[in-house]
Structure formats: structure tokens, C-alpha cells
Amino acid sequence: MSLTRKMAVLCFFLIIAGAANASFFSDTIHTIEVYFEYPDFWPALDSTHETEEYIMCQVVFNHVDTLDSVGIRLKGNSSYGHPGRKKPFHLKMDEYVDGRDYRGNERLTFNNGFKDPTFLREKLAAEIFHDLGVPCPRAT
């Protein structure tokens, strides 16, 4: 796959529900780079919000771990409609490669925090709920 375009992913919340490697969900800020085969990827990606179908991309985690053939699609209702450029999205590691995960996670969800200028509310709420023993998604 010739990768010609990159979608910059900065200041997103990573939220995941279900079983996963807890070490990934620490106080670390992760760098996630998403690459697409075609330079004009946006119309195809934008259409995934309505169809809920995934398109193929390459993902690089923390400048080290690279996964080819990962599924990506946009998500959200009010957060998707926010006029800003950051759109929330899902990554599905096993969309094109059966049984694949990244550090125990088959899916990762990135929220854009469009109503949170601090980018901390979801992370802090998740920590409080976990400390109280209330089931909730993990966040990093």
C-alpha cells in the first residue's frame, strides 16, 4: 500500500470498553498516526459516519508499532456535527485481519472532546468511577 496522506490525530480521548491490556491505559499520552492509501481520502472517510462501514488505513502507535489494514470510521452525533476539524472515530484492528488486536484491544474509540476545553473531563471521570468500583470505559 503506497501511503500518501496522513490524518493528524492530536488531543483525542481514547476510550475503550471491554477487556484489554490495562498497561495501555495509563497516564501516558499516546501518539497515533493514521495513513491512507489515497491522497483524497476524506470523502470516503466522511461517508463512514452515515454508513458505519470501515475503510482501510495504516496506523502507527507511538512512532513504533505499525499495523497495516486497520479499519477506520467516523462516529458520533453531536460531536460529529461540531464545526471543528477534529472528528471522533473508531479503529478496528480486526476488520481486515481476523483475530488481530493491538495490546489486547480489537477496537479503540477516539472521542474529540468538543465540549471540553481542558481535554480532561472524561479521563478524570473514568478514574473516579474506577476508584469507586463503578464499571466504565477506560481512558488515556
Side-chain angles (χ1 to χ4, degrees), residues 106-118:
E106 292 176 0
R107 298 175 189 200
L108 298 172
T109 297
F110 294 80
N111 294 335
N112 61 352
F114 77 103
K115 287 188 175 180
D116 182 3
T118 68

Side-chain angles (χ1 to χ4, degrees), residues 1 20 61 68:
M1 176 180 344
F61 294 92
D68 291 317

Side-chain angles (χ1 to χ4, degrees), residues 47-104:
S47 72
T48 65
H49 176 257
E50 293 180 10
T51 65
E52 296 188 7
E53 294 177 13
Y54 289 84
I55 63 172
M56 192 178 298
C57 67
Q58 178 187 69
V59 181
V60 180
F61 294 92
N62 299 316
H63 308 291
V64 176
D65 301 321
T66 300
L67 291 180
D68 291 317
S69 304
V70 173
I72 185 172
R73 75 172 182 85
L74 296 181
K75 65 172 273 306
N77 288 314
S78 58
S79 60
Y80 170 81
H82 176 65
R85 291 177 43 162
K86 287 191 310 184
K87 301 298 182 190
F89 61 94
H90 294 292
L91 290 177
K92 189 173 177 186
M93 307 318 146
D94 63 347
E95 177 68 11
Y96 300 102
V97 179
D98 286 340
R100 184 174 59 189
D101 63 44
Y102 178 71
R103 293 189 180 183

Side-chain angles (χ1 to χ4, degrees), residues 22 35 59 103 126 131-132:
Y35 295 90
V59 181
R103 293 189 180 183
D131 288 349
L132 293 172

